[in-house]
């Protein structure tokens, strides 16, 4: 069926046509509001009749306002094609009797008498046309379809009214459409046609299911998305024309003029002027379109507004009821689009004034002022915008607040302290969602504030985490701690040190400053806590203090910091980096869980940075499945916009991608941060992405991966960042150097890593370094190193590293022929299973298959075709090369590989080597 939910209408129309074919004529009137699909029904009827060669003859006409002055225009559209094709005999027979009075209308037809308009009477001509129709229908039953009868010319309406009176005598089905609400629909001739109609049809709007059918018929790829279908139904109210406009506006590849806008404008143009004024006023007022407000905007009285509302309701533009509302949201958009700039400005300014004078909320006024260009016509308008911004901020909508503040700025002179402080307000609002914009606007503000103290205090108002961005260095370069008071000076010092954390001299000075504060640094004020967090971050980067000291102080600060999402703009990101590097996972996890349970405006507060940090903790404690899902939740919350994401969020996603071996997440991060993006990023992000890039390519390109790790190490060395827990580049490089046949360089690096790991004191990086050292050693030294690695890894709580250490010891014991090897492999298998680490599970499952038992390999779960494709993938063939090798489509190869990944519990090619027993660096499992 071509038309969803029109079965009843089509059945009755076909019944009228069948009756006409049997000699019983009738009138059918299709009525309904704008866009309901009356014309589509006529087209369906036309196709149905034309598909039957032996059925009635179809005659069609479409009325138009531009042709209303053409006498008998519709009658000529209906009959002229048949008359023009008739031979002389048929023409003489048809025009015999009363029909001769209409012969003058058909120039070119046989026997045309010529054009002499003064000699013809409209009534006689109408009777002649009726006789002509009767003569033609005597030869063959007719179906006459007339669209948009409400705009037909007067003479044709006279003819059709006469036809309707005698239609029952003719084998003719007359079907006409009339738009409700059009002024022409009230003409006497059309009312009489309605009274004479045997069948009256009024198609209803489509249901949600009907909307889905329309989308499927249009091959819209989103037709299967129930939420999209529901949104389309809500926006269009099920009206087919409105639906086409909704889909057009939501589809980036569907461009062109708006049919709805054009048809609405044309319809309003023929109604009294106050009707269009009322529609535009209601569009501007939106949810506040009370009748008295509409009167203020249009300048009409209550009677005129009530009549205009009734006219719009009859047309289907408004829903009946009070206050007036558009029948579908898309109608408001179309009305707004049809307004000129001058009309829009006048109505917006007037609406804002009326709202202000009536005491409406500031945000109601500000919503109108956003559309009013600067300068504002009234002095009270900027203050309303600022008040609205405060309300939006309290409600937890900083993006809305920033829009109000940006508009308020347009009313201020380009220089002066007032503009400076308004820029400060804007920067503080933007810091919640666009740190770069906040830094840019605060930099502008500092240049406008008159005193050094005001400039320094303005800088301290920007959240601490913003100063991780390299762009903030320009901002702090214009102030000094001496410019501010005591507490503000501490806050400013913290920000200056944070922007200069890539300077090794200043980092060393920060560690000395931390030591000067003593074993129990002051934490009573926010300024003291911010400075301590930055100093601890410096100590973490440099490994300049023992990990247990850093962990203890970090724990103290976390206890002082509110467990809230808002704290992720303050000290929390720095403290979490320090805590996780020091191995203080427990307190960090507790703090994050408490923050995740925070309620803001009646709902859980779940900012992306908080979620990503929880994911990093989950990954470090071996909860890989939950860590992966948490990472993608954070990514979706920022809309995939990594360019504006905080540094702490990006670093957490890198940690999760590395530990969980989520290939898709890793590639997403690597592809976003191209060379240009990396060049603009701070060292935190550059180092993390260099490590991730190397990890992603370690299987296919170990030398390239090694180069990236060494580049990362060189950059960290220049900055004085020595901590092996944050960026284990030495460990990863040593592992690759060993694989590439350079054990000497590997030994030097791993000895250096062990030295720094012991100096730092956190068990995690030390256990990892000792395991790699054991792989470079032999005999008793290897046994001692791997045993210490296991002991250290157990203390760290890093279950994945413990699995690797157990595997290493099991291999040594097996090579020595000791029975304890099986115990190590079994423990490693249980741990890997619990972590959800299938690349390790495959390895340990193979190792723990005891002597005499059948060897269970991962490929046992795969079909023959899947195993074959996986084998080619392990050999390094691309999908296209595999397709050519086994003579299948590329799509088939992709499907087989997807099934392999699903059955093996992995995320991509990089894990195949590990699952099938290879024990290389692979997708980051072994380093």
């Amino acid at each position: 069926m071509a038309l969803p939910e029109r079965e009843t209408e089509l059945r009755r129309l076909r019944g009228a046509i069948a009756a006409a074919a049997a000699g019983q004529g009738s009138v059918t009137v299709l009525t309904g509001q704008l866009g309901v699909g009356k014309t589509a029904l006529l087209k369906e009827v036309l196709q149905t009749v034309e598909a039957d060669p032996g059925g009635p003859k179809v005659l069609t006409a479409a009325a138009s306002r531009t042709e209303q002055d053409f006498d008998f225009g519709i009658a000529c559209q209906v009959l002229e094609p048949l008359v023009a094709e008739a031979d002389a005999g048929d023409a003489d027979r048809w025009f015999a009797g009363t029909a001769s009075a209409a012969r003058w209308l058909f120039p070119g037809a046989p026997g045309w008498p010529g054009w002499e308009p003064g000699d013809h009477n409209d009534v006689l001509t109408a009777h002649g046309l009726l006789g002509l129709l009767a003569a033609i229908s005597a030869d063959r039953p007719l179906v006459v379809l007339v669209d948009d009868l409400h705009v037909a010319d007067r003479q044709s309406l006279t003819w059709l009214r006469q036809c309707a009176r005698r239609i029952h005598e003719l084998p003719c089905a007359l079907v006409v459409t009339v738009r409700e609400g059009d002024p022409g629909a009230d003409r006497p001739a059309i009312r009489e046609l309605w009274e004479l109609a045997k069948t009256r049809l009024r198609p209803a709007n489509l249901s949600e299911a009907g909307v889905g059918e329309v989308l499927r018929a249009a091959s819209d790829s989103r037709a299967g998305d129930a939420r999209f279908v529901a949104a389309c139904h809500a926006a269009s109210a099920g009206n087919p024309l409105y639906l086409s406009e909704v889909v057009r506006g939501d589809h980036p590849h569907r461009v062109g003029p708006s049919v709805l806008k054009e048809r609405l404008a044309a319809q309003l143009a023929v109604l009294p002027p106050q009707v269009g004024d009322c529609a535009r006023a209601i569009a501007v007022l939106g949810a506040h379109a009370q009748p008295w407000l509409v009167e203020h905007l249009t300048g009409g009285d209550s009677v005129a507004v009530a009549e205009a509302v009734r006219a719009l309701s009859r047309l289907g533009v408004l829903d009946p009821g009070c206050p007036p509302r558009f029948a579908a949201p898309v109608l408001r958009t179309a009305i707004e689009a049809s307004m000129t700039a001058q009309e829009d400005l006048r109505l917006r300014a007037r609406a804002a004034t009326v709202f202000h004078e009536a005491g409406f909320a500031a945000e109601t006024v500000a919503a109108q002022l956003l559309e009013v260009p600067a300068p504002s016509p009234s002095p009270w308008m900027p203050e309303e915008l600022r008040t609205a911004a405060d309300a939006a901020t309290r409600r937890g909508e900083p993006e809305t607040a920033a829009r109000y503040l940006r508009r308020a700025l347009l009313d201020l002179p380009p220089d002066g302290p007032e503009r400076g402080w308004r820029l400060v307000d804007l920067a503080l609002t933007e810091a919640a969602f666009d740190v770069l914009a906040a830094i840019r606007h605060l930099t502008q503000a500092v240049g406008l504030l008159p005193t050094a103290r005001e400039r320094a205090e303005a800088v301290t108002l920007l959240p601490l985490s913003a100063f991780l961005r390299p762009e903030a260095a320009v901002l702090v370069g214009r102030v000094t701690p001496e410019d501010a008071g005591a507490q503000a000076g501490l806050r400013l010092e913290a920000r200056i040190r944070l922007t200069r954390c890539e300077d090794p001299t200043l980092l060393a000075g920060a560690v000395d400053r931390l030591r000067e504060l003593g074993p129990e640094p002051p934490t009573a004020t926010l300024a003291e806590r911010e400075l301590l967090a930055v100093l601890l971050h410096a100590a973490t980067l440099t490994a300049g203090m023992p990990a247990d000291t850093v962990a203890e102080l970090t724990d103290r600060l976390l206890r002082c910091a509110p467990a809230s999402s808002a704290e992720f703009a303050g000290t929390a990101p720095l403290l979490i980096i320090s805590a996780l590097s020091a191995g203080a996972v427990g307190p960090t996890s507790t703090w994050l869980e408490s923050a995740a349970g925070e309620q803001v405006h009646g709902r859980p507060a779940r900012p992306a940075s908080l979620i990503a940090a929880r994911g990093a903790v989950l990954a470090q404690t071996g909860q890989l499945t939950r860590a992966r899902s948490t990472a993608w939740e954070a990514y979706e919350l920022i809309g995939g916009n990594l360019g504006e994401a905080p540094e702490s969020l990006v670093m957490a996603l890198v940690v999760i991608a590395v530990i969980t071996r989520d290939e898709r997440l890793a590639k997403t991060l690597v592809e976003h941060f191209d060379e240009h993006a990396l060049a603009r990023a701070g060292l935190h992000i550059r180092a993390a992405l260099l490590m991730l890039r190397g990890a992603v390519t370690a299987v296919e390109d170990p030398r390239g991966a090694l180069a990236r790790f060494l580049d990362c190490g060189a950059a960290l060395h220049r900055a004085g960042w020595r901590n092996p827990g944050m960026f284990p580049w030495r460990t990863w490089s040593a592992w690759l150097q060993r694989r590439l046949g350079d054990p000497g360089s590997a030994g030097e690096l791993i000895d250096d890593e062990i030295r720094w790991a012991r100096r730092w004191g956190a068990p995690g990086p030390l256990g990892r370094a000792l395991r790699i050292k054991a792989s470079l050693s032999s005999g008793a030294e290897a046994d001692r190193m791997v045993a210490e690695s296991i002991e250290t890894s157990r203390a760290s709580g890093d279950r994945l590293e413990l699995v690797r250490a157990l595997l290493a010891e099991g291999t040594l014991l097996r090579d020595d022929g000791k029975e304890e090897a099986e115990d190590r492999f079994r423990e490693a298998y249980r741990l890997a299973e619990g972590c959800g680490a299938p690349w390790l599970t495959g390895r340990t499952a193979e190792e723990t298959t005891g002597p005499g038992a059948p060897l269970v390999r991962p490929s046992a779960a795969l079909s023959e075709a899947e195993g074959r494709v996986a084998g080619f993938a392990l050999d390094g063939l691309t999908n296209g090369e595999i397709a050519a090798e086994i003579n299948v489509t590329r799509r088939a190869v992709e499907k087989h590989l997807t099934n392999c990944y699903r059955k093996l519990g992995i995320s991509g090619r990089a894990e195949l080597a590990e699952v099938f027993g290879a024990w290389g660096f692979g997708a980051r499992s072994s380093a």
Side-chain angles (χ1 to χ4, degrees):
M1 185 189 64
L3 300 178
E5 300 184 350
R6 295 292 185 258
E7 299 91 340
T8 300
E9 290 83 358
L10 287 171
R11 185 175 64 252
R12 298 183 67 181
L13 285 168
R14 288 165 181 156
I17 293 167
Q24 183 179 357
S26 64
V27 177
T28 299
V29 178
L30 268 170
T31 187
Q33 297 170 336
L34 174 70
V36 79
K38 303 180 293 296
T39 302
L41 278 168
L42 285 193
K43 290 180 179 178
E44 185 70 15
V45 170
L46 176 63
Q47 293 175 5
T48 300
V49 178
E50 289 183 337
D52 181 8
K57 177 68 177 177
V58 183
L59 306 176
T60 64
S64 169
R65 295 190 194 278
T66 59
E67 297 181 1
Q68 280 184 313
D69 294 333
F70 288 91
D71 294 348
F72 294 101
I74 295 301
C76 290
Q77 280 191 55
V78 170
L79 297 170
E80 193 169 36
L82 272 180
V83 173
E85 295 173 358
D87 55 28
D90 286 340
D92 289 340
R93 182 164 47 83
W94 289 349
F95 283 108
T98 59
S100 62
R103 195 163 193 163
W104 66 275
L105 284 174
F106 304 97
W112 181 54
W115 175 247
E116 298 178 7
D119 297 338
H120 305 292
N121 179 276
D122 287 348
V123 176
L124 291 177
T125 301
H127 279 290
L129 289 169
L130 175 58
L132 176 60
L133 184 70
I136 294 173
S137 65
D139 291 349
R140 182 179 178 182
L142 298 178
V143 175
V144 179
L145 306 177
V146 181
D147 198 15
D148 291 337
L149 189 65
H150 50 279
V151 293
D153 61 276
R154 177 181 55 80
Q155 293 88 345
S156 293
L157 280 177
T158 301
W159 166 63
L160 288 173
R161 177 164 56 183
Q162 293 180 5
C163 290
R165 291 169 180 171
R166 288 190 53 197
I167 199 76
H168 61 280
E169 304 171 3
L170 305 176
C172 177
L174 174 62
V175 182
V176 300
T177 69
V178 179
R179 181 185 299 165
E180 292 179 2
D182 190 277
D186 292 330
R187 286 186 285 180
I190 293 180
R191 288 202 299 269
E192 184 173 346
L193 276 172
W194 175 261
E195 296 296 330
L196 293 171
K198 181 179 180 180
T199 305
R200 301 165 185 166
L201 301 176
R202 189 179 188 276
N205 284 342
L206 301 175
S207 67
E208 192 171 310
V211 169
E213 288 187 49
V214 171
L215 295 175
R216 283 190 290 273
S219 301
D220 195 305
S221 59
R222 300 163 294 179
D225 185 344
R227 288 181 297 180
F228 177 75
V229 173
C232 287
H233 182 264
S236 66
N239 182 291
L241 174 61
Y242 305 168
L243 175 62
S244 66
E245 182 74 6
V246 170
V247 176
R248 168 189 172 275
D250 192 61
H251 202 296
H253 303 298
R254 294 183 184 176
V255 296
S258 166
V259 176
L260 176 59
K261 171 187 167 183
E262 293 178 352
R263 292 182 65 180
L264 262 180
Q267 182 64 69
L268 292 176
V270 300
L271 292 167
Q274 66 264 26
V275 178
D277 292 342
C278 180
R280 288 184 282 274
I282 293 171
V284 167
L285 291 170
H288 302 284
Q290 298 288 342
W292 67 273
L293 287 170
V294 177
E295 293 172 26
H296 275 283
L297 261 65
T298 61
D301 57 25
S302 59
V303 175
V305 168
E307 183 56 37
V309 168
R310 280 194 294 272
L312 290 169
S313 297
R314 287 196 299 270
L315 193 62
V317 173
L318 298 180
D319 276 334
C322 188
R325 296 287 183 271
F326 285 105
V330 70
L331 285 165
R332 180 183 182 187
T333 304
I335 293 291
E336 288 177 327
S338 68
M339 295 165 59
T340 66
Q342 292 78 8
E343 285 177 330
D344 186 66
L345 171 59
R346 178 179 59 81
L347 288 175
R348 299 285 180 189
R350 181 59 182 155
T353 301
V354 171
F355 286 147
H356 172 72
E357 293 174 349
F360 278 73
E363 286 195 79
T364 303
V365 181
Q368 301 296 333
L369 294 177
L370 287 176
E371 309 299 329
V372 177
S376 295
S378 300
W380 53 264
M381 291 181 175
E383 189 58 37
E384 285 279 23
L385 286 162
R386 290 193 287 272
T387 304
D390 292 340
T393 300
R394 290 192 299 271
R395 198 174 60 251
E397 296 181 7
E399 293 94 338
T400 302
R403 290 178 62 208
Y404 297 145
L405 290 172
R406 293 188 193 109
R407 172 59 187 81
L409 276 172
L410 298 178
D411 290 318
L412 296 175
D415 51 13
E418 184 181 0
R419 182 178 182 83
W421 284 114
R422 296 291 77 77
L423 281 167
V424 171
D425 293 340
L426 176 58
L428 298 183
T429 302
E430 290 174 327
F433 62 92
D434 189 348
V435 175
L436 287 178
I439 293 172
R440 184 171 63 251
H441 286 129
L442 189 59
T443 304
Q444 296 171 9
V446 168
L448 296 173
L449 299 178
T451 68
R453 187 181 185 91
E454 286 178 320
R455 291 191 290 270
E457 290 179 351
V459 172
T460 65
L461 296 176
L462 194 65
L464 184 64
S465 61
F467 292 84
L468 282 167
R469 304 295 293 247
E471 295 83 0
V474 176
L475 179 60
V476 299
R478 308 178 68 173
V479 293
T480 64
E482 291 74 19
D483 294 335
Q487 292 297 306
L490 294 179
R491 300 188 71 192
L492 191 54
E493 179 188 352
R495 284 153 177 76
I496 293 173
R497 289 188 181 278
L498 192 55
T499 60
R500 297 174 184 172
C501 64
E502 296 181 29
D503 185 331
T505 303
L506 287 178
L507 277 178
V511 176
D512 292 339
R513 178 90 158 88
L514 178 58
R515 290 194 181 97
E516 292 171 1
L517 296 177
E520 294 188 3
T523 58
T525 67
L526 174 61
E528 292 168 342
R529 293 193 294 271
E530 285 187 340
L531 178 60
L532 182 55
V534 172
L535 298 178
L536 283 172
H537 184 63
T540 302
L541 295 175
T542 60
M545 293 189 103
D548 55 357
T549 301
V550 171
E552 179 185 350
L553 292 174
T554 302
D555 185 28
R556 280 185 57 197
L557 278 180
L558 283 175
R559 293 177 187 276
C560 295
S564 69
S565 58
E567 192 61 26
F568 264 82
T571 60
L574 299 178
L575 296 177
I576 289 170
I577 290 173
S578 296
L580 294 183
S581 299
V585 176
T588 305
S589 179
T590 301
W591 190 94
L592 288 170
E593 290 296 330
S594 298
E598 176 197 16
Q599 295 284 319
V600 177
H601 303 290
R603 59 182 185 272
R606 297 181 61 77
S609 295
L610 171 60
I611 293 171
R614 292 183 68 201
V617 172
L618 291 169
Q620 291 204 355
T621 55
Q623 302 176 68
L624 304 191
T625 302
R626 290 181 61 196
R628 281 193 184 104
S629 64
T630 302
W632 285 109
E633 182 183 354
Y635 181 79
E636 290 170 3
L637 278 175
I638 61 172
N641 189 3
L642 291 167
E644 296 181 1
E647 274 72 1
S648 58
L649 187 151
V650 176
M651 290 183 66
L653 293 181
V654 171
V655 168
I656 296 168
V658 168
I659 295 178
T660 67
R661 303 167 54 129
D662 189 326
E663 185 175 2
R664 184 164 66 98
L665 178 59
K667 288 184 176 179
T668 298
L669 291 163
V670 168
E671 290 171 1
H672 176 84
F673 288 94
D674 56 16
E675 296 299 332
H676 180 65
L678 273 185
R680 293 185 292 107
L683 185 54
H684 291 86
I685 301 300
R686 292 203 309 276
L689 266 296
L690 281 172
M691 296 286 289
L692 183 59
R693 284 183 173 188
V696 168
T697 60
V699 172
E700 297 84 0
D701 182 17
R703 294 190 183 279
L706 176 60
R708 290 187 175 91
F709 296 152
L710 294 176
D711 286 346
C712 175
L716 294 172
H717 181 77
R718 287 193 298 271
W721 294 18
R722 303 286 191 267
N723 195 314
M726 292 186 66
F727 303 104
W729 65 272
R730 300 182 191 84
T731 301
W732 291 14
S733 299
W735 178 260
L736 281 179
Q737 286 171 333
R738 175 181 175 274
R739 284 188 60 196
L740 294 170
D742 187 5
S745 298
E748 291 177 6
L749 274 179
I750 204 62
D751 286 343
D752 197 29
E753 183 80 335
I754 290 174
R755 180 171 62 85
W756 279 104
R758 292 192 188 282
R759 175 175 175 176
W760 174 235
L766 179 59
R768 179 171 55 240
L770 289 169
R771 175 176 55 80
I772 302 303
K773 177 67 174 177
S775 70
L776 294 169
S777 308
S778 59
E781 183 181 8
D783 293 341
R784 180 175 59 81
M785 289 289 178
V786 78
E788 186 180 356
S789 174
I790 291 175
E791 181 182 357
T792 305
S793 297
R794 289 191 194 279
S796 72
D798 187 341
R799 293 190 290 170
L800 288 180
E801 183 53 43
L802 179 57
V803 169
R804 298 184 180 103
L806 289 168
L807 284 171
E809 186 175 49
T811 302
L812 292 175
L813 292 171
R814 183 188 58 190
D815 292 345
D816 292 340
K818 297 181 179 179
E819 295 180 357
E820 292 91 335
E822 187 176 350
D823 294 335
R824 302 296 186 274
F825 289 138
R826 284 202 178 102
E827 183 180 359
Y829 176 72
R830 287 194 301 271
L831 285 171
E833 278 282 305
C835 291
W839 63 93
L840 293 178
T841 301
R843 171 68 176 176
T844 53
E846 182 177 328
E847 297 291 0
T848 53
T849 303
L855 186 63
V856 180
R857 295 187 178 274
S859 55
L862 306 181
S863 69
E864 181 179 352
E866 292 164 354
R868 192 178 181 197
V869 169
F872 282 120
L874 286 168
D875 290 338
L877 273 67
T878 66
N879 289 359
E881 291 169 341
I882 297 173
E885 188 73 25
I886 61 178
N887 195 28
V888 298
T889 65
R890 185 188 182 99
R891 176 66 177 164
V893 172
E894 293 172 352
K895 183 176 180 181
H896 285 317
L897 283 175
T898 300
N899 289 338
C900 291
Y901 302 153
R902 177 179 55 79
K903 290 181 178 180
L904 298 174
I906 60 178
S907 61
R909 276 184 177 237
E911 297 178 9
L912 278 175
E914 290 292 351
V915 174
F916 279 83
W919 186 238
F921 177 82
R924 307 167 296 282
S925 67
S926 56

